[in-house]
Amino acid sequence: MAFKDFIFRKSLWLFHFGGASCNNCDIEILDCLTPRYDVERFGMLLVGSIRHADVLLVNGSINHKDKERLLELYRQAPKPILVVAIGACGCTGGIFAGGYPFAGPVDQIIPVDAYIPGCPPKPEAILSGIVQLIEKKKTEKAHA
Amino acid sequence: MSNTKIIPVGPYHPLQEEPELFKLYCEGEIVKDIKWETGYNHRGIEKLAESKTFDQVFFLVERICGICSTSHPFAFANAMEEIAGVDIPNRAKYIRSIIGELERIHSHLLWVGLAGHFLGYNTVFMWAWKYREPILDLFEMITGNRNSYAMFKVGGVRRDIPMALIPEVRKAMDGFKPKLDLLIGAVMDDPVIHARTKGVGVLTHQDIIQFAAVGPTARASGVDIDVRRDDPYAAYDMVDWKVIVTGEGDVFAKAYVRLLEMVESVSIIEQCLDGLEKEPEGDTEVKVKNIPEGMGTGRAEAPRGEVFHFVVTDGGYGPVRHKIRAPSYVNIATFKKSCIGQTISDATISLAAVDPCYCCTERMAVAVDQRTGNMLYSGEDLLKLSHMKTEEIRKKQ
């Protein structure tokens, strides 16, 4: 596992999956790329294919139509992959949890490594969450 | 059909109001037909609304769309106030309008940035989003959140804009004006943007009527509709402003309408601030105890067009039926007209022009040869095609 952990230490590439969300989290994720937050200084890049990604960002509540696609994406993802649930909906289902199309929060569908709560989380929170995830991976390696 | 290739675009576009799948049926480079599939973003909001109280519904409708997260509460508040028969205080009206217009500015800036990105002008993307940040800071200062403002309630607004905050808002607006001029200049005077957007994705006056399109999409084709003027709500009949209408109907006209609307929005905000200074502080709501049995409709002009809410109440604590129509629902149908006959590289910007907020890098867009099943284009290739066309035009200039 040492080599796999090494992969997560620098330049994480992110793939973004927007479920049935209200778009706020999507915008805030994109906001991370723009000059004020500039996530690329950490070597992070949003990529167009899950096959290039180290991290899968999932936001929004997941409905039945999304569920199949999320499972398929997770299956296609190169392992190991870190999954980050973003926003209240990603973490618990949020305000949409009672609805009939709701197929469960992200962690009931695929394993989740980090949760970033907020509605929507500020770009600072998203950055801090992912940086903490990297830190966690580093310390895990130190203990191993 | 033997030469027809299908290019699916979607379904996951992080910036769209609704994630949806577009299938472009292409012969060579020309788009012959377009089909779309929605439902990826279905959350059952109308049904959920029936299980909530009136106060809770505001938070729910706010989360229909994050970009226009004031328009829906706006329309719902209008509907509820029609049922309850209340007239809200002037201060609340001004505050509502200020929030509504700030939202229009941030949404249009977001669109300008993305449109620039599709044309290969990443500088415009970064600039527009950089200038959007002070607007979001303003939101955070006034409402406590960057998006989803939670400002509305039946009979008024939840939070006042204190007198002490008014100079701050003015300062932010003054700071924003030169940046807006710069952005307008950058788009209006650029020959390459002209070449890429003029005559592309044209929608005629007749098309707009047939598709019942709304908002900037309609106003760019010479259809003079704007709920703010036609059915005034909040403070829009107490301030002086004009509806931006132009006739060409192409992508450039849509950009023109949006950019000039931002100038109008700044002017509306400043006039509302003047009005706010005259009203007594703290007079922000009328207490509404009971909502009687009845039916009400509420309309509001979102950045993308008219939002329509229909609410039925039975005298209880929540709505018994809540029907919502959002602007993108009708505007998306115009793709049937604007994209067919275009090249694939122009289709991207034509789709984006309606502002369902297309962003290409994060998406799975793959062209599949129907006979062999080979993949021809990825989303990045599509974007590259669009960028290449811009480069060519740039060289010719």
Side-chain angles (χ1 to χ4, degrees), chain A residues 16 20-24 26 28 30-31 36 48 63 65-66 100 119 122, chain B residues 12 14-16 38 40-42 63 66 133 137 140 146-148 361:
Chain A
H16 171 220
S21 76
C22 73
N23 267 23
N24 265 338
D26 309 75
E28 295 294 48
L30 214 70
D31 228 17
R36 186 182 280 185
N63 66 22
K65 200 165 178 173
D66 292 332
Y100 58 84
C119 187
K122 294 175 73 170
Chain B
Y12 295 107
L15 274 175
Q16 242 172 312
T38 54
Y40 298 98
N41 208 348
H42 185 65
R63 281 158 183 82
E133 288 298 327
D137 287 346
E140 200 170 354
R146 287 161 54 90
N147 313 76
S148 298
T361 37

PDB file of all heavy atoms in Angstrom, chain A residues 16 20-24 26 28 30-31 36 48 63 65-66 100 119 122, chain B residues 12 14-16 38 40-42 63 66 133 137 140 146-148 361:
ATOM      1  N   HIS A  16     -15.465  15.673 -10.816  1.00  0.00           N
ATOM      2  CA  HIS A  16     -16.620  16.211 -10.103  1.00  0.00           C
ATOM      3  C   HIS A  16     -17.907  15.570 -10.606  1.00  0.00           C
ATOM      4  O   HIS A  16     -18.199  15.608 -11.793  1.00  0.00           O
ATOM      5  CB  HIS A  16     -16.648  17.734 -10.294  1.00  0.00           C
ATOM      6  CG  HIS A  16     -17.897  18.358  -9.785  1.00  0.00           C
ATOM      7  ND1 HIS A  16     -18.528  19.365 -10.459  1.00  0.00           N
ATOM      8  CD2 HIS A  16     -18.634  18.102  -8.687  1.00  0.00           C
ATOM      9  CE1 HIS A  16     -19.610  19.697  -9.783  1.00  0.00           C
ATOM     10  NE2 HIS A  16     -19.697  18.959  -8.720  1.00  0.00           N
ATOM     11  N   ALA A  20     -28.242  15.171  -7.911  1.00  0.00           N
ATOM     12  CA  ALA A  20     -29.426  16.026  -7.933  1.00  0.00           C
ATOM     13  C   ALA A  20     -29.220  17.143  -6.921  1.00  0.00           C
ATOM     14  O   ALA A  20     -29.630  17.034  -5.783  1.00  0.00           O
ATOM     15  CB  ALA A  20     -30.660  15.206  -7.608  1.00  0.00           C
ATOM     16  N   SER A  21     -28.524  18.176  -7.342  1.00  0.00           N
ATOM     17  CA  SER A  21     -28.172  19.243  -6.409  1.00  0.00           C
ATOM     18  C   SER A  21     -28.805  20.534  -6.878  1.00  0.00           C
ATOM     19  O   SER A  21     -29.441  20.588  -7.917  1.00  0.00           O
ATOM     20  CB  SER A  21     -26.665  19.401  -6.345  1.00  0.00           C
ATOM     21  OG  SER A  21     -26.223  20.071  -7.497  1.00  0.00           O
ATOM     22  N   CYS A  22     -28.598  21.594  -6.097  1.00  0.00           N
ATOM     23  CA  CYS A  22     -29.147  22.884  -6.504  1.00  0.00           C
ATOM     24  C   CYS A  22     -28.090  23.709  -7.194  1.00  0.00           C
ATOM     25  O   CYS A  22     -28.336  24.858  -7.507  1.00  0.00           O
ATOM     26  CB  CYS A  22     -29.690  23.630  -5.311  1.00  0.00           C
ATOM     27  SG  CYS A  22     -28.430  24.297  -4.242  1.00  0.00           S
ATOM     28  N   ASN A  23     -26.919  23.150  -7.442  1.00  0.00           N
ATOM     29  CA  ASN A  23     -25.872  23.847  -8.184  1.00  0.00           C
ATOM     30  C   ASN A  23     -24.961  24.717  -7.345  1.00  0.00           C
ATOM     31  O   ASN A  23     -23.930  25.136  -7.836  1.00  0.00           O
ATOM     32  CB  ASN A  23     -26.451  24.799  -9.235  1.00  0.00           C
ATOM     33  CG  ASN A  23     -26.570  24.157 -10.557  1.00  0.00           C
ATOM     34  OD1 ASN A  23     -26.630  22.952 -10.624  1.00  0.00           O
ATOM     35  ND2 ASN A  23     -26.575  24.942 -11.590  1.00  0.00           N
ATOM     36  N   ASN A  24     -25.364  25.031  -6.125  1.00  0.00           N
ATOM     37  CA  ASN A  24     -24.524  25.925  -5.349  1.00  0.00           C
ATOM     38  C   ASN A  24     -23.163  25.309  -5.104  1.00  0.00           C
ATOM     39  O   ASN A  24     -22.143  25.962  -5.259  1.00  0.00           O
ATOM     40  CB  ASN A  24     -25.185  26.238  -4.004  1.00  0.00           C
ATOM     41  CG  ASN A  24     -25.973  27.519  -4.061  1.00  0.00           C
ATOM     42  OD1 ASN A  24     -25.713  28.346  -4.926  1.00  0.00           O
ATOM     43  ND2 ASN A  24     -26.896  27.680  -3.173  1.00  0.00           N
ATOM     44  N   ASP A  26     -21.756  23.055  -6.886  1.00  0.00           N
ATOM     45  CA  ASP A  26     -21.041  22.968  -8.158  1.00  0.00           C
ATOM     46  C   ASP A  26     -20.316  24.276  -8.439  1.00  0.00           C
ATOM     47  O   ASP A  26     -19.165  24.293  -8.862  1.00  0.00           O
ATOM     48  CB  ASP A  26     -22.020  22.707  -9.294  1.00  0.00           C
ATOM     49  CG  ASP A  26     -22.944  21.551  -9.020  1.00  0.00           C
ATOM     50  OD1 ASP A  26     -23.870  21.703  -8.220  1.00  0.00           O
ATOM     51  OD2 ASP A  26     -22.711  20.493  -9.587  1.00  0.00           O
ATOM     52  N   GLU A  28     -19.454  26.553  -6.260  1.00  0.00           N
ATOM     53  CA  GLU A  28     -18.386  26.814  -5.301  1.00  0.00           C
ATOM     54  C   GLU A  28     -17.155  25.958  -5.620  1.00  0.00           C
ATOM     55  O   GLU A  28     -16.032  26.391  -5.396  1.00  0.00           O
ATOM     56  CB  GLU A  28     -18.876  26.562  -3.862  1.00  0.00           C
ATOM     57  CG  GLU A  28     -19.973  27.495  -3.397  1.00  0.00           C
ATOM     58  CD  GLU A  28     -19.571  28.959  -3.255  1.00  0.00           C
ATOM     59  OE1 GLU A  28     -18.950  29.487  -4.196  1.00  0.00           O
ATOM     60  OE2 GLU A  28     -19.882  29.572  -2.235  1.00  0.00           O
ATOM     61  N   LEU A  30     -16.268  25.121  -8.675  1.00  0.00           N
ATOM     62  CA  LEU A  30     -15.651  25.815  -9.805  1.00  0.00           C
ATOM     63  C   LEU A  30     -14.976  27.101  -9.338  1.00  0.00           C
ATOM     64  O   LEU A  30     -13.957  27.512  -9.885  1.00  0.00           O
ATOM     65  CB  LEU A  30     -16.715  26.134 -10.854  1.00  0.00           C
ATOM     66  CG  LEU A  30     -16.193  26.080 -12.273  1.00  0.00           C
ATOM     67  CD1 LEU A  30     -15.898  24.658 -12.673  1.00  0.00           C
ATOM     68  CD2 LEU A  30     -17.163  26.708 -13.229  1.00  0.00           C
ATOM     69  N   ASP A  31     -15.585  27.720  -8.333  1.00  0.00           N
ATOM     70  CA  ASP A  31     -15.024  28.939  -7.776  1.00  0.00           C
ATOM     71  C   ASP A  31     -13.611  28.702  -7.237  1.00  0.00           C
ATOM     72  O   ASP A  31     -12.780  29.594  -7.260  1.00  0.00           O
ATOM     73  CB  ASP A  31     -15.922  29.427  -6.638  1.00  0.00           C
ATOM     74  CG  ASP A  31     -16.233  30.902  -6.760  1.00  0.00           C
ATOM     75  OD1 ASP A  31     -16.023  31.447  -7.858  1.00  0.00           O
ATOM     76  OD2 ASP A  31     -16.672  31.492  -5.770  1.00  0.00           O
ATOM     77  N   ARG A  36      -9.267  34.007  -6.937  1.00  0.00           N
ATOM     78  CA  ARG A  36      -9.158  34.258  -5.500  1.00  0.00           C
ATOM     79  C   ARG A  36      -8.718  33.009  -4.728  1.00  0.00           C
ATOM     80  O   ARG A  36      -7.955  33.101  -3.778  1.00  0.00           O
ATOM     81  CB  ARG A  36     -10.471  34.770  -4.931  1.00  0.00           C
ATOM     82  CG  ARG A  36     -10.295  35.169  -3.483  1.00  0.00           C
ATOM     83  CD  ARG A  36     -11.544  35.640  -2.829  1.00  0.00           C
ATOM     84  NE  ARG A  36     -11.879  37.017  -3.155  1.00  0.00           N
ATOM     85  CZ  ARG A  36     -12.901  37.650  -2.587  1.00  0.00           C
ATOM     86  NH1 ARG A  36     -13.645  37.048  -1.714  1.00  0.00           N
ATOM     87  NH2 ARG A  36     -13.177  38.879  -2.924  1.00  0.00           N
ATOM     88  N   GLY A  48     -11.670  15.764 -16.935  1.00  0.00           N
ATOM     89  CA  GLY A  48     -12.910  15.436 -17.632  1.00  0.00           C
ATOM     90  C   GLY A  48     -13.265  13.963 -17.584  1.00  0.00           C
ATOM     91  O   GLY A  48     -14.362  13.582 -17.950  1.00  0.00           O
ATOM     92  N   ASN A  63     -30.448  10.779  -6.620  1.00  0.00           N
ATOM     93  CA  ASN A  63     -31.741  10.162  -6.923  1.00  0.00           C
ATOM     94  C   ASN A  63     -31.514   8.838  -7.638  1.00  0.00           C
ATOM     95  O   ASN A  63     -30.382   8.437  -7.904  1.00  0.00           O
ATOM     96  CB  ASN A  63     -32.671  11.121  -7.681  1.00  0.00           C
ATOM     97  CG  ASN A  63     -32.178  11.460  -9.066  1.00  0.00           C
ATOM     98  OD1 ASN A  63     -31.387  10.733  -9.654  1.00  0.00           O
ATOM     99  ND2 ASN A  63     -32.642  12.569  -9.596  1.00  0.00           N
ATOM    100  N   LYS A  65     -31.931   7.783 -10.592  1.00  0.00           N
ATOM    101  CA  LYS A  65     -31.273   7.837 -11.893  1.00  0.00           C
ATOM    102  C   LYS A  65     -29.770   8.069 -11.723  1.00  0.00           C
ATOM    103  O   LYS A  65     -28.964   7.493 -12.440  1.00  0.00           O
ATOM    104  CB  LYS A  65     -31.904   8.961 -12.716  1.00  0.00           C
ATOM    105  CG  LYS A  65     -31.677   8.850 -14.195  1.00  0.00           C
ATOM    106  CD  LYS A  65     -32.631   9.771 -14.930  1.00  0.00           C
ATOM    107  CE  LYS A  65     -32.384   9.714 -16.409  1.00  0.00           C
ATOM    108  NZ  LYS A  65     -33.389  10.451 -17.169  1.00  0.00           N
ATOM    109  N   ASP A  66     -29.417   8.931 -10.755  1.00  0.00           N
ATOM    110  CA  ASP A  66     -28.003   9.221 -10.510  1.00  0.00           C
ATOM    111  C   ASP A  66     -27.287   8.025  -9.895  1.00  0.00           C
ATOM    112  O   ASP A  66     -26.103   7.825 -10.113  1.00  0.00           O
ATOM    113  CB  ASP A  66     -27.855  10.396  -9.540  1.00  0.00           C
ATOM    114  CG  ASP A  66     -28.321  11.695 -10.147  1.00  0.00           C
ATOM    115  OD1 ASP A  66     -28.248  11.809 -11.371  1.00  0.00           O
ATOM    116  OD2 ASP A  66     -28.757  12.569  -9.394  1.00  0.00           O
ATOM    117  N   TYR A 100     -39.398  11.574  -2.675  1.00  0.00           N
ATOM    118  CA  TYR A 100     -39.556  10.215  -3.218  1.00  0.00           C
ATOM    119  C   TYR A 100     -38.428   9.792  -4.157  1.00  0.00           C
ATOM    120  O   TYR A 100     -38.150   8.612  -4.277  1.00  0.00           O
ATOM    121  CB  TYR A 100     -40.920  10.060  -3.895  1.00  0.00           C
ATOM    122  CG  TYR A 100     -41.190  11.026  -5.021  1.00  0.00           C
ATOM    123  CD1 TYR A 100     -40.737  10.767  -6.303  1.00  0.00           C
ATOM    124  CD2 TYR A 100     -41.888  12.210  -4.804  1.00  0.00           C
ATOM    125  CE1 TYR A 100     -40.961  11.662  -7.331  1.00  0.00           C
ATOM    126  CE2 TYR A 100     -42.115  13.106  -5.828  1.00  0.00           C
ATOM    127  CZ  TYR A 100     -41.642  12.821  -7.096  1.00  0.00           C
ATOM    128  OH  TYR A 100     -41.847  13.706  -8.104  1.00  0.00           O
ATOM    129  N   CYS A 119     -24.038  24.527   3.342  1.00  0.00           N
ATOM    130  CA  CYS A 119     -25.053  24.615   2.290  1.00  0.00           C
ATOM    131  C   CYS A 119     -25.024  25.989   1.661  1.00  0.00           C
ATOM    132  O   CYS A 119     -25.777  26.849   2.036  1.00  0.00           O
ATOM    133  CB  CYS A 119     -26.437  24.327   2.843  1.00  0.00           C
ATOM    134  SG  CYS A 119     -27.683  24.222   1.540  1.00  0.00           S
ATOM    135  N   LYS A 122     -18.246  26.956   1.820  1.00  0.00           N
ATOM    136  CA  LYS A 122     -17.471  28.012   1.162  1.00  0.00           C
ATOM    137  C   LYS A 122     -16.262  27.381   0.474  1.00  0.00           C
ATOM    138  O   LYS A 122     -15.799  26.319   0.894  1.00  0.00           O
ATOM    139  CB  LYS A 122     -17.000  29.031   2.201  1.00  0.00           C
ATOM    140  CG  LYS A 122     -18.129  29.790   2.827  1.00  0.00           C
ATOM    141  CD  LYS A 122     -17.634  30.691   3.929  1.00  0.00           C
ATOM    142  CE  LYS A 122     -16.902  31.881   3.371  1.00  0.00           C
ATOM    143  NZ  LYS A 122     -16.608  32.888   4.398  1.00  0.00           N
TER     144      LYS A 122
ATOM    145  N   TYR B  12     -23.598  15.087 -16.893  1.00  0.00           N
ATOM    146  CA  TYR B  12     -23.208  15.851 -15.694  1.00  0.00           C
ATOM    147  C   TYR B  12     -22.425  17.098 -16.023  1.00  0.00           C
ATOM    148  O   TYR B  12     -21.284  17.038 -16.444  1.00  0.00           O
ATOM    149  CB  TYR B  12     -22.455  14.953 -14.707  1.00  0.00           C
ATOM    150  CG  TYR B  12     -23.381  13.907 -14.204  1.00  0.00           C
ATOM    151  CD1 TYR B  12     -23.297  12.591 -14.605  1.00  0.00           C
ATOM    152  CD2 TYR B  12     -24.442  14.287 -13.406  1.00  0.00           C
ATOM    153  CE1 TYR B  12     -24.220  11.659 -14.188  1.00  0.00           C
ATOM    154  CE2 TYR B  12     -25.378  13.369 -12.991  1.00  0.00           C
ATOM    155  CZ  TYR B  12     -25.262  12.065 -13.382  1.00  0.00           C
ATOM    156  OH  TYR B  12     -26.191  11.161 -12.978  1.00  0.00           O
ATOM    157  N   PRO B  14     -21.448  20.463 -14.120  1.00  0.00           N
ATOM    158  CA  PRO B  14     -21.490  20.984 -12.760  1.00  0.00           C
ATOM    159  C   PRO B  14     -22.184  22.336 -12.653  1.00  0.00           C
ATOM    160  O   PRO B  14     -22.611  22.714 -11.595  1.00  0.00           O
ATOM    161  CB  PRO B  14     -20.018  21.144 -12.393  1.00  0.00           C
ATOM    162  CG  PRO B  14     -19.281  20.324 -13.346  1.00  0.00           C
ATOM    163  CD  PRO B  14     -20.099  20.201 -14.573  1.00  0.00           C
ATOM    164  N   LEU B  15     -22.314  23.048 -13.758  1.00  0.00           N
ATOM    165  CA  LEU B  15     -22.815  24.407 -13.605  1.00  0.00           C
ATOM    166  C   LEU B  15     -24.245  24.578 -14.036  1.00  0.00           C
ATOM    167  O   LEU B  15     -24.803  25.641 -13.943  1.00  0.00           O
ATOM    168  CB  LEU B  15     -21.958  25.343 -14.449  1.00  0.00           C
ATOM    169  CG  LEU B  15     -20.750  25.793 -13.685  1.00  0.00           C
ATOM    170  CD1 LEU B  15     -19.872  26.604 -14.573  1.00  0.00           C
ATOM    171  CD2 LEU B  15     -21.183  26.606 -12.491  1.00  0.00           C
ATOM    172  N   GLN B  16     -24.837  23.503 -14.492  1.00  0.00           N
ATOM    173  CA  GLN B  16     -26.156  23.665 -15.054  1.00  0.00           C
ATOM    174  C   GLN B  16     -27.224  23.662 -13.996  1.00  0.00           C
ATOM    175  O   GLN B  16     -27.061  23.074 -12.941  1.00  0.00           O
ATOM    176  CB  GLN B  16     -26.417  22.500 -15.971  1.00  0.00           C
ATOM    177  CG  GLN B  16     -26.630  22.947 -17.363  1.00  0.00           C
ATOM    178  CD  GLN B  16     -26.697  21.757 -18.232  1.00  0.00           C
ATOM    179  OE1 GLN B  16     -25.852  20.886 -18.123  1.00  0.00           O
ATOM    180  NE2 GLN B  16     -27.690  21.695 -19.042  1.00  0.00           N
ATOM    181  N   THR B  38     -33.793  14.614 -19.626  1.00  0.00           N
ATOM    182  CA  THR B  38     -33.606  15.225 -18.308  1.00  0.00           C
ATOM    183  C   THR B  38     -34.012  14.226 -17.225  1.00  0.00           C
ATOM    184  O   THR B  38     -34.333  13.088 -17.522  1.00  0.00           O
ATOM    185  CB  THR B  38     -34.457  16.504 -18.168  1.00  0.00           C
ATOM    186  OG1 THR B  38     -35.793  16.160 -18.474  1.00  0.00           O
ATOM    187  CG2 THR B  38     -33.979  17.601 -19.067  1.00  0.00           C
ATOM    188  N   TYR B  40     -32.034  13.807 -14.354  1.00  0.00           N
ATOM    189  CA  TYR B  40     -30.902  13.491 -13.491  1.00  0.00           C
ATOM    190  C   TYR B  40     -30.942  14.299 -12.205  1.00  0.00           C
ATOM    191  O   TYR B  40     -30.290  13.986 -11.242  1.00  0.00           O
ATOM    192  CB  TYR B  40     -29.589  13.772 -14.226  1.00  0.00           C
ATOM    193  CG  TYR B  40     -29.434  12.934 -15.455  1.00  0.00           C
ATOM    194  CD1 TYR B  40     -29.752  13.438 -16.706  1.00  0.00           C
ATOM    195  CD2 TYR B  40     -29.003  11.624 -15.347  1.00  0.00           C
ATOM    196  CE1 TYR B  40     -29.635  12.656 -17.831  1.00  0.00           C
ATOM    197  CE2 TYR B  40     -28.885  10.845 -16.468  1.00  0.00           C
ATOM    198  CZ  TYR B  40     -29.199  11.356 -17.706  1.00  0.00           C
ATOM    199  OH  TYR B  40     -29.094  10.589 -18.814  1.00  0.00           O
ATOM    200  N   ASN B  41     -31.688  15.390 -12.280  1.00  0.00           N
ATOM    201  CA  ASN B  41     -31.682  16.302 -11.139  1.00  0.00           C
ATOM    202  C   ASN B  41     -33.045  16.346 -10.461  1.00  0.00           C
ATOM    203  O   ASN B  41     -33.366  17.286  -9.755  1.00  0.00           O
ATOM    204  CB  ASN B  41     -31.307  17.695 -11.642  1.00  0.00           C
ATOM    205  CG  ASN B  41     -30.635  18.511 -10.583  1.00  0.00           C
ATOM    206  OD1 ASN B  41     -30.642  18.142  -9.411  1.00  0.00           O
ATOM    207  ND2 ASN B  41     -30.063  19.606 -10.966  1.00  0.00           N
ATOM    208  N   HIS B  42     -33.838  15.323 -10.695  1.00  0.00           N
ATOM    209  CA  HIS B  42     -35.188  15.338 -10.129  1.00  0.00           C
ATOM    210  C   HIS B  42     -35.131  15.109  -8.623  1.00  0.00           C
ATOM    211  O   HIS B  42     -34.552  14.146  -8.168  1.00  0.00           O
ATOM    212  CB  HIS B  42     -36.046  14.275 -10.796  1.00  0.00           C
ATOM    213  CG  HIS B  42     -37.455  14.312 -10.354  1.00  0.00           C
ATOM    214  ND1 HIS B  42     -38.272  15.381 -10.615  1.00  0.00           N
ATOM    215  CD2 HIS B  42     -38.199  13.448  -9.641  1.00  0.00           C
ATOM    216  CE1 HIS B  42     -39.460  15.164 -10.089  1.00  0.00           C
ATOM    217  NE2 HIS B  42     -39.452  13.998  -9.481  1.00  0.00           N
ATOM    218  N   ARG B  63     -33.500  26.295  -2.828  1.00  0.00           N
ATOM    219  CA  ARG B  63     -32.556  25.277  -3.266  1.00  0.00           C
ATOM    220  C   ARG B  63     -33.007  24.554  -4.536  1.00  0.00           C
ATOM    221  O   ARG B  63     -32.539  23.466  -4.825  1.00  0.00           O
ATOM    222  CB  ARG B  63     -32.285  24.300  -2.119  1.00  0.00           C
ATOM    223  CG  ARG B  63     -31.317  24.901  -1.135  1.00  0.00           C
ATOM    224  CD  ARG B  63     -31.370  24.292   0.230  1.00  0.00           C
ATOM    225  NE  ARG B  63     -30.449  24.997   1.119  1.00  0.00           N
ATOM    226  CZ  ARG B  63     -30.702  26.132   1.733  1.00  0.00           C
ATOM    227  NH1 ARG B  63     -31.865  26.724   1.559  1.00  0.00           N
ATOM    228  NH2 ARG B  63     -29.806  26.692   2.520  1.00  0.00           N
ATOM    229  N   GLY B  66     -29.311  26.998  -7.370  1.00  0.00           N
ATOM    230  CA  GLY B  66     -28.387  27.769  -6.547  1.00  0.00           C
ATOM    231  C   GLY B  66     -28.036  29.101  -7.146  1.00  0.00           C
ATOM    232  O   GLY B  66     -27.715  30.043  -6.428  1.00  0.00           O
ATOM    233  N   GLU B 133     -16.485  37.865  -7.227  1.00  0.00           N
ATOM    234  CA  GLU B 133     -16.215  37.635  -5.799  1.00  0.00           C
ATOM    235  C   GLU B 133     -16.657  38.794  -4.906  1.00  0.00           C
ATOM    236  O   GLU B 133     -17.267  38.548  -3.867  1.00  0.00           O
ATOM    237  CB  GLU B 133     -14.726  37.333  -5.584  1.00  0.00           C
ATOM    238  CG  GLU B 133     -14.300  35.965  -6.070  1.00  0.00           C
ATOM    239  CD  GLU B 133     -15.003  34.828  -5.335  1.00  0.00           C
ATOM    240  OE1 GLU B 133     -15.308  34.976  -4.153  1.00  0.00           O
ATOM    241  OE2 GLU B 133     -15.256  33.804  -5.977  1.00  0.00           O
ATOM    242  N   ASP B 137     -19.087  38.657  -1.717  1.00  0.00           N
ATOM    243  CA  ASP B 137     -18.728  39.199  -0.394  1.00  0.00           C
ATOM    244  C   ASP B 137     -19.839  40.083   0.141  1.00  0.00           C
ATOM    245  O   ASP B 137     -20.146  40.059   1.338  1.00  0.00           O
ATOM    246  CB  ASP B 137     -17.434  40.013  -0.496  1.00  0.00           C
ATOM    247  CG  ASP B 137     -16.229  39.120  -0.674  1.00  0.00           C
ATOM    248  OD1 ASP B 137     -16.367  37.902  -0.449  1.00  0.00           O
ATOM    249  OD2 ASP B 137     -15.153  39.624  -1.035  1.00  0.00           O
ATOM    250  N   GLU B 140     -22.493  38.030   1.467  1.00  0.00           N
ATOM    251  CA  GLU B 140     -22.134  37.468   2.761  1.00  0.00           C
ATOM    252  C   GLU B 140     -22.315  38.515   3.855  1.00  0.00           C
ATOM    253  O   GLU B 140     -22.767  38.213   4.951  1.00  0.00           O
ATOM    254  CB  GLU B 140     -20.687  36.962   2.720  1.00  0.00           C
ATOM    255  CG  GLU B 140     -20.408  35.956   3.803  1.00  0.00           C
ATOM    256  CD  GLU B 140     -19.075  35.281   3.627  1.00  0.00           C
ATOM    257  OE1 GLU B 140     -18.415  35.502   2.600  1.00  0.00           O
ATOM    258  OE2 GLU B 140     -18.679  34.537   4.532  1.00  0.00           O
ATOM    259  N   ARG B 146     -22.885  33.203   1.089  1.00  0.00           N
ATOM    260  CA  ARG B 146     -22.477  33.592  -0.258  1.00  0.00           C
ATOM    261  C   ARG B 146     -23.551  33.248  -1.281  1.00  0.00           C
ATOM    262  O   ARG B 146     -23.747  33.952  -2.255  1.00  0.00           O
ATOM    263  CB  ARG B 146     -21.174  32.876  -0.635  1.00  0.00           C
ATOM    264  CG  ARG B 146     -19.967  33.408   0.067  1.00  0.00           C
ATOM    265  CD  ARG B 146     -18.842  32.401   0.016  1.00  0.00           C
ATOM    266  NE  ARG B 146     -18.552  31.980  -1.333  1.00  0.00           N
ATOM    267  CZ  ARG B 146     -17.665  32.587  -2.115  1.00  0.00           C
ATOM    268  NH1 ARG B 146     -16.999  33.618  -1.679  1.00  0.00           N
ATOM    269  NH2 ARG B 146     -17.442  32.135  -3.333  1.00  0.00           N
ATOM    270  N   ASN B 147     -24.177  32.094  -1.121  1.00  0.00           N
ATOM    271  CA  ASN B 147     -25.300  31.706  -1.973  1.00  0.00           C
ATOM    272  C   ASN B 147     -26.425  31.328  -1.021  1.00  0.00           C
ATOM    273  O   ASN B 147     -26.198  31.239   0.167  1.00  0.00           O
ATOM    274  CB  ASN B 147     -24.935  30.511  -2.843  1.00  0.00           C
ATOM    275  CG  ASN B 147     -23.592  30.669  -3.516  1.00  0.00           C
ATOM    276  OD1 ASN B 147     -22.565  30.510  -2.884  1.00  0.00           O
ATOM    277  ND2 ASN B 147     -23.589  30.990  -4.767  1.00  0.00           N
ATOM    278  N   SER B 148     -27.611  31.061  -1.547  1.00  0.00           N
ATOM    279  CA  SER B 148     -28.749  30.699  -0.683  1.00  0.00           C
ATOM    280  C   SER B 148     -28.900  31.692   0.463  1.00  0.00           C
ATOM    281  O   SER B 148     -28.421  31.461   1.566  1.00  0.00           O
ATOM    282  CB  SER B 148     -28.583  29.290  -0.109  1.00  0.00           C
ATOM    283  OG  SER B 148     -28.548  28.375  -1.159  1.00  0.00           O
ATOM    284  N   THR B 361     -14.997  21.117 -19.585  1.00  0.00           N
ATOM    285  CA  THR B 361     -13.900  20.262 -19.127  1.00  0.00           C
ATOM    286  C   THR B 361     -14.335  19.176 -18.169  1.00  0.00           C
ATOM    287  O   THR B 361     -13.762  18.105 -18.142  1.00  0.00           O
ATOM    288  CB  THR B 361     -12.805  21.070 -18.425  1.00  0.00           C
ATOM    289  OG1 THR B 361     -13.435  22.095 -17.688  1.00  0.00           O
ATOM    290  CG2 THR B 361     -11.829  21.637 -19.400  1.00  0.00           C
TER     291      THR B 361
END
